[in-house]
PDB file of all heavy atoms in Angstrom:
ATOM      1  N   ILE A   1      99.305 106.500  78.884  1.00 98.00           N
ATOM      2  CA  ILE A   1      99.736 105.208  78.365  1.00 98.00           C
ATOM      3  C   ILE A   1      98.496 104.407  77.799  1.00 98.00           C
ATOM      4  O   ILE A   1      97.426 104.484  78.312  1.00 98.00           O
ATOM      5  CB  ILE A   1     100.394 104.427  79.544  1.00 98.00           C
ATOM      6  CG1 ILE A   1     101.737 105.047  79.945  1.00 98.00           C
ATOM      7  CG2 ILE A   1     100.622 102.953  79.127  1.00 98.00           C
ATOM      8  CD1 ILE A   1     102.348 104.432  81.173  1.00 98.00           C
ATOM      9  N   ASN A   2      98.832 103.751  76.716  1.00 98.00           N
ATOM     10  CA  ASN A   2      97.812 102.907  76.127  1.00 98.00           C
ATOM     11  C   ASN A   2      98.479 101.530  75.808  1.00 98.00           C
ATOM     12  O   ASN A   2      99.555 101.471  75.227  1.00 98.00           O
ATOM     13  CB  ASN A   2      97.265 103.490  74.827  1.00 98.00           C
ATOM     14  CG  ASN A   2      96.261 102.584  74.093  1.00 98.00           C
ATOM     15  OD1 ASN A   2      96.488 102.192  72.981  1.00 98.00           O
ATOM     16  ND2 ASN A   2      95.195 102.357  74.835  1.00 98.00           N
ATOM     17  N   TYR A   3      97.814 100.421  76.160  1.00 98.00           N
ATOM     18  CA  TYR A   3      98.316  99.084  75.874  1.00 98.00           C
ATOM     19  C   TYR A   3      97.316  98.262  75.055  1.00 98.00           C
ATOM     20  O   TYR A   3      96.082  98.458  75.165  1.00 98.00           O
ATOM     21  CB  TYR A   3      98.429  98.317  77.165  1.00 98.00           C
ATOM     22  CG  TYR A   3      99.583  98.739  78.067  1.00 98.00           C
ATOM     23  CD1 TYR A   3      99.288  99.443  79.219  1.00 98.00           C
ATOM     24  CD2 TYR A   3     100.920  98.453  77.782  1.00 98.00           C
ATOM     25  CE1 TYR A   3     100.261  99.807  80.118  1.00 98.00           C
ATOM     26  CE2 TYR A   3     101.906  98.852  78.616  1.00 98.00           C
ATOM     27  CZ  TYR A   3     101.637  99.563  79.772  1.00 98.00           C
ATOM     28  OH  TYR A   3     102.643  99.923  80.653  1.00 98.00           O
ATOM     29  N   ALA A   4      97.846  97.451  74.215  1.00 98.00           N
ATOM     30  CA  ALA A   4      96.943  96.453  73.571  1.00 98.00           C
ATOM     31  C   ALA A   4      96.429  95.515  74.627  1.00 98.00           C
ATOM     32  O   ALA A   4      97.046  95.177  75.576  1.00 98.00           O
ATOM     33  CB  ALA A   4      97.771  95.689  72.519  1.00 98.00           C
ATOM     34  N   ASP A   5      95.228  94.972  74.411  1.00 98.00           N
ATOM     35  CA  ASP A   5      94.592  94.112  75.317  1.00 98.00           C
ATOM     36  C   ASP A   5      95.492  92.856  75.535  1.00 98.00           C
ATOM     37  O   ASP A   5      95.485  92.272  76.716  1.00 98.00           O
ATOM     38  CB  ASP A   5      93.196  93.704  74.898  1.00 98.00           C
ATOM     39  CG  ASP A   5      92.194  94.831  74.975  1.00 98.00           C
ATOM     40  OD1 ASP A   5      92.492  95.762  75.755  1.00 98.00           O
ATOM     41  OD2 ASP A   5      91.174  94.732  74.368  1.00 98.00           O
ATOM     42  N   SER A   6      96.106  92.394  74.498  1.00 97.00           N
ATOM     43  CA  SER A   6      96.902  91.164  74.590  1.00 97.00           C
ATOM     44  C   SER A   6      98.121  91.223  75.460  1.00 97.00           C
ATOM     45  O   SER A   6      98.617  90.182  75.877  1.00 97.00           O
ATOM     46  CB  SER A   6      97.333  90.724  73.166  1.00 97.00           C
ATOM     47  OG  SER A   6      98.146  91.749  72.619  1.00 97.00           O
ATOM     48  N   VAL A   7      98.542  92.389  75.870  1.00 98.00           N
ATOM     49  CA  VAL A   7      99.748  92.576  76.649  1.00 98.00           C
ATOM     50  C   VAL A   7      99.465  93.186  78.013  1.00 98.00           C
ATOM     51  O   VAL A   7     100.430  93.266  78.839  1.00 98.00           O
ATOM     52  CB  VAL A   7     100.875  93.299  75.933  1.00 98.00           C
ATOM     53  CG1 VAL A   7     101.106  92.763  74.561  1.00 98.00           C
ATOM     54  CG2 VAL A   7     100.448  94.831  75.835  1.00 98.00           C
ATOM     55  N   LYS A   8      98.276  93.620  78.267  1.00 98.00           N
ATOM     56  CA  LYS A   8      97.965  94.189  79.501  1.00 98.00           C
ATOM     57  C   LYS A   8      98.291  93.312  80.694  1.00 98.00           C
ATOM     58  O   LYS A   8      97.868  92.119  80.668  1.00 98.00           O
ATOM     59  CB  LYS A   8      96.547  94.627  79.593  1.00 98.00           C
ATOM     60  CG  LYS A   8      96.097  95.840  78.748  1.00 98.00           C
ATOM     61  CD  LYS A   8      94.637  96.266  78.842  1.00 98.00           C
ATOM     62  CE  LYS A   8      94.349  97.412  77.994  1.00 98.00           C
ATOM     63  NZ  LYS A   8      92.876  97.753  78.051  1.00 98.00           N
ATOM     64  N   GLY A   9      98.915  93.806  81.731  1.00 97.00           N
ATOM     65  CA  GLY A   9      99.264  93.036  82.818  1.00 97.00           C
ATOM     66  C   GLY A   9     100.581  92.284  82.672  1.00 97.00           C
ATOM     67  O   GLY A   9     101.136  91.745  83.696  1.00 97.00           O
ATOM     68  N   ARG A  10     101.152  92.284  81.502  1.00 98.00           N
ATOM     69  CA  ARG A  10     102.405  91.558  81.268  1.00 98.00           C
ATOM     70  C   ARG A  10     103.506  92.512  80.813  1.00 98.00           C
ATOM     71  O   ARG A  10     104.700  92.333  81.197  1.00 98.00           O
ATOM     72  CB  ARG A  10     102.230  90.492  80.233  1.00 98.00           C
ATOM     73  CG  ARG A  10     101.199  89.391  80.557  1.00 98.00           C
ATOM     74  CD  ARG A  10     101.285  88.260  79.574  1.00 98.00           C
ATOM     75  NE  ARG A  10     100.860  88.694  78.279  1.00 98.00           N
ATOM     76  CZ  ARG A  10     101.650  88.541  77.221  1.00 98.00           C
ATOM     77  NH1 ARG A  10     102.912  88.028  77.251  1.00 98.00           N
ATOM     78  NH2 ARG A  10     101.284  88.932  75.967  1.00 98.00           N
ATOM     79  N   PHE A  11     103.166  93.518  79.991  1.00 98.00           N
ATOM     80  CA  PHE A  11     104.113  94.500  79.510  1.00 98.00           C
ATOM     81  C   PHE A  11     103.973  95.816  80.193  1.00 98.00           C
ATOM     82  O   PHE A  11     102.880  96.238  80.533  1.00 98.00           O
ATOM     83  CB  PHE A  11     103.981  94.726  78.010  1.00 98.00           C
ATOM     84  CG  PHE A  11     104.275  93.526  77.125  1.00 98.00           C
ATOM     85  CD1 PHE A  11     104.559  92.246  77.687  1.00 98.00           C
ATOM     86  CD2 PHE A  11     104.333  93.680  75.790  1.00 98.00           C
ATOM     87  CE1 PHE A  11     104.878  91.211  76.906  1.00 98.00           C
ATOM     88  CE2 PHE A  11     104.691  92.610  74.966  1.00 98.00           C
ATOM     89  CZ  PHE A  11     104.881  91.327  75.544  1.00 98.00           C
ATOM     90  N   THR A  12     105.095  96.547  80.360  1.00 98.00           N
ATOM     91  CA  THR A  12     105.148  97.870  80.915  1.00 98.00           C
ATOM     92  C   THR A  12     105.979  98.828  80.132  1.00 98.00           C
ATOM     93  O   THR A  12     107.133  98.511  79.811  1.00 98.00           O
ATOM     94  CB  THR A  12     105.592  97.839  82.381  1.00 98.00           C
ATOM     95  OG1 THR A  12     104.924  97.006  83.163  1.00 98.00           O
ATOM     96  CG2 THR A  12     105.566  99.327  82.921  1.00 98.00           C
ATOM     97  N   ILE A  13     105.386  99.879  79.648  1.00 98.00           N
ATOM     98  CA  ILE A  13     106.102 100.912  78.894  1.00 98.00           C
ATOM     99  C   ILE A  13     106.446 102.028  79.748  1.00 98.00           C
ATOM    100  O   ILE A  13     105.738 102.417  80.673  1.00 98.00           O
ATOM    101  CB  ILE A  13     105.283 101.393  77.628  1.00 98.00           C
ATOM    102  CG1 ILE A  13     106.187 102.214  76.718  1.00 98.00           C
ATOM    103  CG2 ILE A  13     104.009 102.165  78.122  1.00 98.00           C
ATOM    104  CD1 ILE A  13     105.445 102.546  75.404  1.00 98.00           C
ATOM    105  N   SER A  14     107.636 102.553  79.582  1.00 96.00           N
ATOM    106  CA  SER A  14     108.098 103.716  80.379  1.00 96.00           C
ATOM    107  C   SER A  14     108.973 104.599  79.492  1.00 96.00           C
ATOM    108  O   SER A  14     109.400 104.129  78.441  1.00 96.00           O
ATOM    109  CB  SER A  14     108.853 103.288  81.647  1.00 96.00           C
ATOM    110  OG  SER A  14     109.982 102.464  81.394  1.00 96.00           O
ATOM    111  N   ARG A  15     109.262 105.766  79.994  1.00 92.00           N
ATOM    112  CA  ARG A  15     110.074 106.669  79.103  1.00 92.00           C
ATOM    113  C   ARG A  15     110.929 107.609  80.028  1.00 92.00           C
ATOM    114  O   ARG A  15     110.598 107.809  81.129  1.00 92.00           O
ATOM    115  CB  ARG A  15     109.290 107.467  78.155  1.00 92.00           C
ATOM    116  CG  ARG A  15     108.716 108.781  78.603  1.00 92.00           C
ATOM    117  CD  ARG A  15     107.582 108.607  79.589  1.00 92.00           C
ATOM    118  NE  ARG A  15     106.939 109.919  79.941  1.00 92.00           N
ATOM    119  CZ  ARG A  15     106.777 110.328  81.134  1.00 92.00           C
ATOM    120  NH1 ARG A  15     107.060 109.558  82.268  1.00 92.00           N
ATOM    121  NH2 ARG A  15     106.118 111.510  81.377  1.00 92.00           N
ATOM    122  N   ASP A  16     111.983 108.046  79.408  1.00 89.00           N
ATOM    123  CA  ASP A  16     112.800 109.060  79.985  1.00 89.00           C
ATOM    124  C   ASP A  16     112.829 110.245  78.943  1.00 89.00           C
ATOM    125  O   ASP A  16     113.569 110.158  77.960  1.00 89.00           O
ATOM    126  CB  ASP A  16     114.216 108.565  80.285  1.00 89.00           C
ATOM    127  CG  ASP A  16     115.100 109.598  80.947  1.00 89.00           C
ATOM    128  OD1 ASP A  16     114.830 110.792  80.853  1.00 89.00           O
ATOM    129  OD2 ASP A  16     115.981 109.178  81.671  1.00 89.00           O
ATOM    130  N   ASN A  17     111.990 111.264  79.216  1.00 78.00           N
ATOM    131  CA  ASN A  17     111.907 112.324  78.258  1.00 78.00           C
ATOM    132  C   ASN A  17     113.199 113.121  78.077  1.00 78.00           C
ATOM    133  O   ASN A  17     113.444 113.559  76.921  1.00 78.00           O
ATOM    134  CB  ASN A  17     110.718 113.268  78.623  1.00 78.00           C
ATOM    135  CG  ASN A  17     109.345 112.730  78.480  1.00 78.00           C
ATOM    136  OD1 ASN A  17     109.185 111.798  77.631  1.00 78.00           O
ATOM    137  ND2 ASN A  17     108.439 113.225  79.246  1.00 78.00           N
ATOM    138  N   ALA A  18     113.924 113.273  79.069  1.00 84.00           N
ATOM    139  CA  ALA A  18     115.170 113.982  79.059  1.00 84.00           C
ATOM    140  C   ALA A  18     116.197 113.288  78.089  1.00 84.00           C
ATOM    141  O   ALA A  18     117.009 113.986  77.402  1.00 84.00           O
ATOM    142  CB  ALA A  18     115.779 114.162  80.417  1.00 84.00           C
ATOM    143  N   LYS A  19     116.113 111.962  78.052  1.00 86.00           N
ATOM    144  CA  LYS A  19     117.018 111.172  77.202  1.00 86.00           C
ATOM    145  C   LYS A  19     116.355 110.751  75.926  1.00 86.00           C
ATOM    146  O   LYS A  19     117.048 110.038  75.127  1.00 86.00           O
ATOM    147  CB  LYS A  19     117.434 109.902  78.010  1.00 86.00           C
ATOM    148  CG  LYS A  19     118.344 110.212  79.190  1.00 86.00           C
ATOM    149  CD  LYS A  19     118.766 108.920  79.826  1.00 86.00           C
ATOM    150  CE  LYS A  19     119.560 109.242  81.130  1.00 86.00           C
ATOM    151  NZ  LYS A  19     120.909 109.987  80.802  1.00 86.00           N
ATOM    152  N   ASN A  20     115.117 111.137  75.730  1.00 85.00           N
ATOM    153  CA  ASN A  20     114.359 110.716  74.519  1.00 85.00           C
ATOM    154  C   ASN A  20     114.431 109.202  74.327  1.00 85.00           C
ATOM    155  O   ASN A  20     114.701 108.722  73.164  1.00 85.00           O
ATOM    156  CB  ASN A  20     114.881 111.446  73.327  1.00 85.00           C
ATOM    157  CG  ASN A  20     114.576 112.935  73.345  1.00 85.00           C
ATOM    158  OD1 ASN A  20     113.509 113.368  73.918  1.00 85.00           O
ATOM    159  ND2 ASN A  20     115.437 113.755  72.806  1.00 85.00           N
ATOM    160  N   THR A  21     114.137 108.439  75.372  1.00 92.00           N
ATOM    161  CA  THR A  21     114.268 107.013  75.391  1.00 92.00           C
ATOM    162  C   THR A  21     113.034 106.416  75.928  1.00 92.00           C
ATOM    163  O   THR A  21     112.422 106.894  76.891  1.00 92.00           O
ATOM    164  CB  THR A  21     115.468 106.527  76.164  1.00 92.00           C
ATOM    165  OG1 THR A  21     116.696 107.095  75.640  1.00 92.00           O
ATOM    166  CG2 THR A  21     115.596 105.001  76.150  1.00 92.00           C
ATOM    167  N   VAL A  22     112.548 105.364  75.243  1.00 95.00           N
ATOM    168  CA  VAL A  22     111.398 104.583  75.718  1.00 95.00           C
ATOM    169  C   VAL A  22     111.792 103.149  75.926  1.00 95.00           C
ATOM    170  O   VAL A  22     112.663 102.629  75.234  1.00 95.00           O
ATOM    171  CB  VAL A  22     110.190 104.700  74.723  1.00 95.00           C
ATOM    172  CG1 VAL A  22     110.550 104.008  73.462  1.00 95.00           C
ATOM    173  CG2 VAL A  22     108.958 104.178  75.311  1.00 95.00           C
ATOM    174  N   TYR A  23     111.149 102.551  76.921  1.00 97.00           N
ATOM    175  CA  TYR A  23     111.454 101.109  77.280  1.00 97.00           C
ATOM    176  C   TYR A  23     110.149 100.356  77.196  1.00 97.00           C
ATOM    177  O   TYR A  23     109.113 100.841  77.472  1.00 97.00           O
ATOM    178  CB  TYR A  23     112.011 101.031  78.729  1.00 97.00           C
ATOM    179  CG  TYR A  23     113.225 101.977  78.900  1.00 97.00           C
ATOM    180  CD1 TYR A  23     113.028 103.279  79.462  1.00 97.00           C
ATOM    181  CD2 TYR A  23     114.494 101.536  78.580  1.00 97.00           C
ATOM    182  CE1 TYR A  23     114.151 104.084  79.645  1.00 97.00           C
ATOM    183  CE2 TYR A  23     115.581 102.354  78.805  1.00 97.00           C
ATOM    184  CZ  TYR A  23     115.437 103.641  79.347  1.00 97.00           C
ATOM    185  OH  TYR A  23     116.485 104.512  79.523  1.00 97.00           O
ATOM    186  N   LEU A  24     110.331  99.023  77.060  1.00 98.00           N
ATOM    187  CA  LEU A  24     109.230  98.060  77.126  1.00 98.00           C
ATOM    188  C   LEU A  24     109.711  96.851  77.870  1.00 98.00           C
ATOM    189  O   LEU A  24     110.550  96.123  77.426  1.00 98.00           O
ATOM    190  CB  LEU A  24     108.807  97.673  75.667  1.00 98.00           C
ATOM    191  CG  LEU A  24     107.514  96.741  75.625  1.00 98.00           C
ATOM    192  CD1 LEU A  24     106.285  97.562  76.163  1.00 98.00           C
ATOM    193  CD2 LEU A  24     107.339  96.183  74.289  1.00 98.00           C
ATOM    194  N   GLN A  25     109.201  96.741  79.050  1.00 98.00           N
ATOM    195  CA  GLN A  25     109.499  95.611  79.912  1.00 98.00           C
ATOM    196  C   GLN A  25     108.471  94.548  79.651  1.00 98.00           C
ATOM    197  O   GLN A  25     107.274  94.789  79.838  1.00 98.00           O
ATOM    198  CB  GLN A  25     109.455  95.920  81.465  1.00 98.00           C
ATOM    199  CG  GLN A  25     109.703  94.805  82.385  1.00 98.00           C
ATOM    200  CD  GLN A  25     111.085  94.246  82.220  1.00 98.00           C
ATOM    201  OE1 GLN A  25     112.111  95.070  82.196  1.00 98.00           O
ATOM    202  NE2 GLN A  25     111.256  92.928  82.144  1.00 98.00           N
ATOM    203  N   MET A  26     108.942  93.379  79.194  1.00 98.00           N
ATOM    204  CA  MET A  26     107.998  92.363  78.686  1.00 98.00           C
ATOM    205  C   MET A  26     108.175  91.158  79.681  1.00 98.00           C
ATOM    206  O   MET A  26     109.246  90.506  79.690  1.00 98.00           O
ATOM    207  CB  MET A  26     108.286  91.918  77.355  1.00 98.00           C
ATOM    208  CG  MET A  26     108.204  93.052  76.347  1.00 98.00           C
ATOM    209  SD  MET A  26     108.355  92.549  74.554  1.00 98.00           S
ATOM    210  CE  MET A  26     110.079  91.976  74.597  1.00 98.00           C
ATOM    211  N   ASN A  27     107.198  90.769  80.416  1.00 98.00           N
ATOM    212  CA  ASN A  27     107.191  89.720  81.323  1.00 98.00           C
ATOM    213  C   ASN A  27     106.164  88.578  80.879  1.00 98.00           C
ATOM    214  O   ASN A  27     105.249  88.942  80.136  1.00 98.00           O
ATOM    215  CB  ASN A  27     106.855  90.135  82.807  1.00 98.00           C
ATOM    216  CG  ASN A  27     107.896  91.164  83.316  1.00 98.00           C
ATOM    217  OD1 ASN A  27     109.050  91.067  83.000  1.00 98.00           O
ATOM    218  ND2 ASN A  27     107.453  92.056  84.170  1.00 98.00           N
ATOM    219  N   SER A  28     106.309  87.442  81.483  1.00 98.00           N
ATOM    220  CA  SER A  28     105.388  86.313  81.197  1.00 98.00           C
ATOM    221  C   SER A  28     105.172  86.161  79.669  1.00 98.00           C
ATOM    222  O   SER A  28     104.095  86.017  79.201  1.00 98.00           O
ATOM    223  CB  SER A  28     104.077  86.539  81.878  1.00 98.00           C
ATOM    224  OG  SER A  28     104.203  86.722  83.277  1.00 98.00           O
ATOM    225  N   LEU A  29     106.293  86.143  78.956  1.00 98.00           N
ATOM    226  CA  LEU A  29     106.230  86.028  77.442  1.00 98.00           C
ATOM    227  C   LEU A  29     105.598  84.754  76.978  1.00 98.00           C
ATOM    228  O   LEU A  29     105.846  83.715  77.595  1.00 98.00           O
ATOM    229  CB  LEU A  29     107.565  86.285  76.930  1.00 98.00           C
ATOM    230  CG  LEU A  29     108.093  87.754  76.939  1.00 98.00           C
ATOM    231  CD1 LEU A  29     109.658  87.857  76.757  1.00 98.00           C
ATOM    232  CD2 LEU A  29     107.366  88.533  75.840  1.00 98.00           C
ATOM    233  N   LYS A  30     104.912  84.873  75.850  1.00 98.00           N
ATOM    234  CA  LYS A  30     104.204  83.809  75.317  1.00 98.00           C
ATOM    235  C   LYS A  30     104.760  83.596  73.911  1.00 98.00           C
ATOM    236  O   LYS A  30     105.206  84.557  73.276  1.00 98.00           O
ATOM    237  CB  LYS A  30     102.699  84.011  75.257  1.00 98.00           C
ATOM    238  CG  LYS A  30     102.038  84.354  76.641  1.00 98.00           C
ATOM    239  CD  LYS A  30     100.570  84.640  76.433  1.00 98.00           C
ATOM    240  CE  LYS A  30      99.938  85.012  77.738  1.00 98.00           C
ATOM    241  NZ  LYS A  30      98.500  85.347  77.583  1.00 98.00           N
ATOM    242  N   PRO A  31     104.594  82.398  73.342  1.00 98.00           N
ATOM    243  CA  PRO A  31     104.977  82.272  71.914  1.00 98.00           C
ATOM    244  C   PRO A  31     104.264  83.206  71.022  1.00 98.00           C
ATOM    245  O   PRO A  31     104.860  83.580  69.977  1.00 98.00           O
ATOM    246  CB  PRO A  31     104.583  80.826  71.599  1.00 98.00           C
ATOM    247  CG  PRO A  31     104.722  80.081  72.937  1.00 98.00           C
ATOM    248  CD  PRO A  31     104.258  81.145  73.927  1.00 98.00           C
TER     249      PRO A  31
END
């Protein structure tokens, strides 16, 4: 996994390889 510095600690990427699906959980969102 690689994150941009601006989102570290706030966003989480995950995936389900069997379903070929990726997710992005975004918390503490800013303008």
Side-chain angles (χ1 to χ4, degrees):
I1 293 172
N2 178 242
Y3 292 105
D5 288 341
S6 59
V7 307
K8 287 180 179 177
R10 300 189 297 122
F11 291 10
T12 302
I13 190 170
S14 60
R15 89 287 187 230
D16 185 335
N17 287 335
K19 297 183 182 295
N20 291 329
T21 300
V22 66
Y23 307 94
L24 186 68
Q25 178 66 46
M26 305 186 294
N27 298 326
S28 302
L29 283 161
K30 304 174 181 179

